[in-house]
Amino acid sequence: MARRKDSPQKAAMREMMRDYLKNNDISIKDGADVNSIMRDMMSVLLEGTLDEELDEELGYSKYDYRNKETDNSRNGHSSKTMHTSYGDMNVAIPRDRNGEYEPQLIKKYQNTVTQDMEEKILSMYAKGMTTGDIEAHMRELYDIDISDSTISRITDKILPIVKEWQERPLEEVYAVVFMDAIHYHVRSEGRIVKRAVYIALGIDMNGKKDILGMYVGENESPKFWLSIMNGLKNRGVEDILIACVDGLNGFPQAIEAVYPKTEIQQCIIHQIRNSTKFVSYKDIKKLMSDLKLVYAAPTEETALNELELFKDKWDSKYPKIYKSWHDNWATLSTYFKYPEAVRRLIYTTNAIEGFNRQLRKVTKSKTVFPSDDSLLKMLYLATMDITKKWTGHRQDWGQIHSQLEIYFEERLIRRNL
């Protein structure tokens, strides 16, 4: 008798399985027994479907020679090992005499069956597991022998998706865009070279955070950043209110070439690190205390006064510090224009550095990547894993937005935002 919620197909399958287990004296004691039966069932279903595919290709069923209208014929089977969530199994793939038959259910180079297993592999890759780790993990948990090349083929499937993601349309206006580069070692033409991964993180006018772009290039340069700026423009970004960057020479000019009205804020934390890099440990505490009077000043006028006092006190011993702050003041002092809430958001690139730290955590097991594509695959998958948690906006966004509306009123009105 069929169960209340069983469809006719499920009821028939239940009856068939009951007879199969009873007639073959099979008892199920644990998950391994279930996996064994599932593998047998799957192989029977696949082989039956493949035989039907060949019947349709040839135009006649097996032994039905009266309806044969082709000089082609069956030519036995070849065995192929398929990886499934239930473990490895052998499938008999039918062949034809002329070699014209191309299986559709199981493609020529396909060696995995279930989509969920590929998703498991991609998930492990996104968490930073090496191909060797994934191989061992699949063998231990699922009794599947899967090679490095198979794992690479599975992860290669996302490369077209990455390209599409890199070219997707963006918002017309972003309140703030943080830009930074993170560096990795990649094998190229028999040598290990350093690659810069250029990352742009944007916050739109609704306070939503997103990675706008991620690109692998050679060592960080303003020229490459200029190409990224042009790319953002081509993808629909008409205006960026404030851009937060590190102290790379030529970076502000690259931004201004594409977005001439964008306010540029150079990261204060980067500037402090560079300033104190060669300071004696005996002086560091006092020097930092005096430097804090500059960058934590309530107004730009006060900050400039404190900078001159800093010069009088420290210039004889560390002349490069004052010179660096003085020469870069135009982009270091941008945040003084804004109220406290906006200042906290833009005076440092911590937002993107926090994201970079999460990427490093994922990639720490990979000292050298075999190729640029391999690097990009892992970073993209890690990015998707990280950003799926970015569902809200900053708690103080209402205050920030209202302040931005005041300072950029004309530009926002022109764009009806």
Side-chain angles (χ1 to χ4, degrees), residues 202-242:
I203 300 178
D204 65 19
M205 295 306 297
N206 295 315
K208 184 171 172 42
K209 186 169 61 171
D210 193 18
I211 300 299
L212 308 185
M214 179 184 294
Y215 311 90
V216 178
E218 296 185 359
N219 287 337
E220 189 176 9
S221 70
K223 185 177 179 181
F224 200 100
W225 276 117
L226 177 60
S227 69
I228 291 175
M229 292 298 102
N230 283 314
L232 295 179
K233 187 88 170 180
N234 292 334
R235 291 164 61 195
V237 181
E238 292 296 328
D239 199 2
I240 297 170
L241 301 186
I242 305 171

Side-chain angles (χ1 to χ4, degrees), residues 300-316:
E300 183 178 1
E301 183 181 359
T302 304
L304 285 170
N305 289 334
E306 292 295 345
L307 186 59
E308 292 304 314
L309 292 174
F310 181 91
K311 177 187 177 184
D312 295 340
K313 185 174 180 178
W314 296 102
D315 211 43
S316 59

Side-chain angles (χ1 to χ4, degrees), residues 70 83 104 180 239 248 292 322 329 357 361 414:
T70 176
H83 307 305
Q104 297 303 304
D180 197 10
D239 199 2
L248 179 69
K292 186 175 182 180
Y322 170 82
W329 189 252
R357 279 194 296 273
K361 189 175 179 180
R414 192 168 65 249

